[in-house]
Amino acid sequence: LAMLDAPHVLSTGYRVYTDPGELQKKKFLYLGMPILVICALFFAFSTSELWAFRFVSYFNIYHIIKQQIGLIHYSNAKSDFQTKLCRNILKVIGYNFTLVPILMWHFSPYGARPGWIFDGDLLLFPSHQIYALLQAIHWAINFFVALYLLNHVRRGNQLAAGLLVISAVTWVAWYGGIVLRFDGESTAMLDILHMIPYLGLTYFVYKTSRVATKNNLFIRFYLPLVALGFSLAIGYSLYTTHNAGFLGILCVAIITGINVSHYILDGFIWKLGGLNPSVESWLFNKQATGQNITNYFKK
């Protein structure tokens, strides 16, 4: 996971800092926001390290859920499953496969559960009744969505293979990893499901935005991310181990701030509808215009 976690966070920089046009469009967001985030986190960690990390943990959960739902929509981009009702059903599938297992984690009465980033960062409220209700809601939604999809196919329509794959893997990673505990009560499966597609998506958009494709472009893309990730990890270890004061807090704020900035930027740099032409160009295999994509998603 170490070879994926830091690179997937840092790869956001390729989308916003290596493209002068992109950087110019939202200069304050890309340059000012990370500084404000680091300053806010420095104050938060100085006040209460526990609650600061709790904030980061829950923001991370929100970020991963939204990104997973985004991947589900991306996988469906070229299908005929594009009415407003269909897109709402995709959202229901996404939240049912991600948010409901997270809620079940919080209300699980079955033994001690690990934390999200560290033990004790989640606010857990064991309850047999709420846990059973969430379980019933999850399977009821699965049942009705399955009926709708089967009826969609029965009428001669098709479902994108990528949508089926992403949806199935999402369920296995989240419901299996959290509720059924396929992965030893850890979040390794959903972490991998989150990191690998993100790195791949960032790389292909990065590659598409280059006028001339260079040899070994992936190596040039990936190795700097690994090197920078290890450098930050070493710096974090040194300063937090030997400096409990100002420098230690500042180091934690910077490292955490890079992650939180990644969460915030993701809400802007992957949106479709003419907002990110380089992403749409890769996704639709054409030089897409904002008007064309906007109309496409209003079908």
Side-chain angles (χ1 to χ4, degrees):
L1 290 178
M3 298 291 286
L4 295 173
D5 193 6
H8 108 271
V9 171
L10 296 169
S11 67
T12 302
Y14 281 115
R15 283 278 294 117
V16 298
Y17 299 117
T18 65
D19 184 344
E22 180 70 22
L23 186 59
Q24 191 65 32
K25 284 192 300 184
K26 303 183 182 76
K27 187 176 293 186
F28 174 77
L29 174 68
Y30 295 151
L31 298 179
M33 180 274 296
I35 296 174
L36 293 177
V37 166
I38 291 171
C39 291
L41 287 173
F42 180 84
F43 174 78
F45 280 113
S46 300
T47 304
S48 173
E49 183 175 314
L50 173 61
W51 282 98
F53 270 122
R54 278 180 172 165
F55 163 76
V56 174
S57 295
Y58 279 102
F59 198 2
N60 178 257
I61 290 172
Y62 168 81
H63 156 70
I64 296 180
I65 288 175
K66 293 294 288 184
Q67 191 172 89
Q68 201 59 40
I69 293 171
L71 287 174
I72 289 174
H73 282 284
Y74 269 38
S75 67
N76 185 59
K78 294 182 182 179
S79 78
D80 60 359
F81 198 68
Q82 290 293 337
T83 66
K84 184 176 181 180
L85 175 60
C86 291
R87 294 196 301 275
N88 286 333
I89 286 175
L90 293 184
K91 289 181 182 179
V92 170
I93 292 173
Y95 283 115
N96 191 42
F97 285 4
T98 57
L99 179 59
V100 173
I102 287 291
L103 291 175
M104 293 179 72
W105 183 337
H106 281 69
F107 292 102
S108 174
Y110 302 110
R113 304 305 303 268
W116 186 258
I117 295 178
F118 67 92
D119 289 346
D121 61 347
L122 298 184
L123 302 172
L124 306 179
F125 305 94
S127 169
H128 285 278
Q129 293 79 10
I130 298 178
Y131 186 86
L133 176 62
L134 290 169
Q135 186 84 272
I137 290 172
H138 176 79
W139 287 105
I141 292 175
N142 285 345
F143 176 74
F144 286 109
V145 167
L147 286 182
Y148 185 88
L149 295 180
L150 287 173
N151 185 55
H152 178 79
V153 174
R154 184 186 63 82
R155 289 181 296 176
N157 300 308
Q158 294 183 341
L159 293 172
L163 170 63
L164 299 177
V165 171
I166 288 291
S167 298
V169 173
T170 299
W171 184 88
V172 170
W174 289 73
Y175 191 85
I178 293 174
V179 181
L180 301 181
R181 306 178 191 182
F182 287 164
D183 200 38
E185 294 189 326
S186 79
T187 57
M189 284 194 296
L190 62 90
D191 282 339
I192 291 172
L193 180 65
H194 167 70
M195 295 169 191
I196 292 179
Y198 189 91
L199 270 173
L201 177 62
T202 309
Y203 168 69
F204 284 116
V205 172
Y206 170 78
K207 181 179 178 181
T208 301
S209 67
R210 295 302 178 270
V211 176
T213 303
K214 300 177 181 178
N215 293 330
N216 301 319
L217 188 61
F218 181 77
I219 300 299
R220 300 184 185 198
F221 168 87
Y222 181 65
L223 286 185
L225 300 177
V226 174
L228 182 56
F230 275 110
S231 298
L232 291 174
I234 292 171
Y236 176 85
S237 176
L238 290 176
Y239 277 107
T240 55
T241 300
H242 302 293
N243 296 278
F246 176 85
L247 287 178
I249 295 173
L250 179 61
C251 184
V252 173
I254 291 173
I255 300 295
T256 309
I258 292 173
N259 284 271
V260 172
S261 296
H262 160 74
Y263 307 157
I264 295 172
L265 289 175
D266 267 14
F268 295 90
I269 62 177
W270 301 113
K271 286 186 178 294
L272 302 179
L275 299 175
N276 290 290
S278 59
V279 179
E280 294 158 1
S281 175
W282 172 78
L283 186 63
F284 294 92
N285 294 323
K286 64 181 180 181
Q287 294 299 318
T289 64
Q291 184 64 35
N292 289 340
I293 296 299
T294 301
N295 290 339
Y296 182 86
F297 282 97
K298 285 184 177 178
K299 288 182 180 178

